[in-house]
Amino acid sequence: MNAPQDISMKTEEVLRVELAVFKREHRDLDDAIRALQERGVADQLTLQRLKKKKLHLKDKIALIEDRLTPDIIA
């Protein structure tokens, strides 16, 4: 997640790799949050931090997907 915020300078190939990495991280965070909630071992602060990180990844994923998906004027 140390990637520069400006995705306009990145190639499509780099964006696709980053997209795959971010999706995997998002999925892993989802699994971790679910496991912590089911076991009841995590404090609320930890869960909040994980959820915030997951939301940040979701925003990055949406931004990259928008960049990769061409605008089609119907």
Side-chain angles (χ1 to χ4, degrees):
M1 290 205 322
N2 295 333
Q5 294 295 332
D6 185 18
I7 65 170
S8 64
M9 300 298 289
K10 295 181 181 179
T11 66
E12 187 173 320
E13 183 178 338
V14 170
L15 290 174
R16 290 190 188 284
V17 170
E18 285 185 352
L19 182 61
V21 170
F22 292 155
K23 283 185 174 184
R24 187 174 341 119
E25 285 181 31
H26 187 270
R27 220 174 16 255
D28 291 347
L29 278 173
D30 197 34
D31 293 341
I33 291 168
R34 190 176 314 113
L36 290 173
Q37 288 174 330
E38 287 174 359
R39 284 195 250 152
V41 294
D43 59 87
Q44 289 303 309
L45 184 59
T46 301
L47 285 174
Q48 282 179 327
R49 287 179 179 164
L50 291 174
K51 288 178 180 181
K52 188 173 182 176
K53 187 174 180 179
K54 184 180 163 196
L55 185 59
H56 183 68
L57 282 171
K58 183 179 176 184
D59 291 342
K60 282 186 170 186
I61 290 168
L63 188 66
I64 292 173
E65 286 177 338
D66 286 348
R67 172 87 156 91
L68 291 174
T69 305
D71 290 335
I72 299 174
I73 301 172

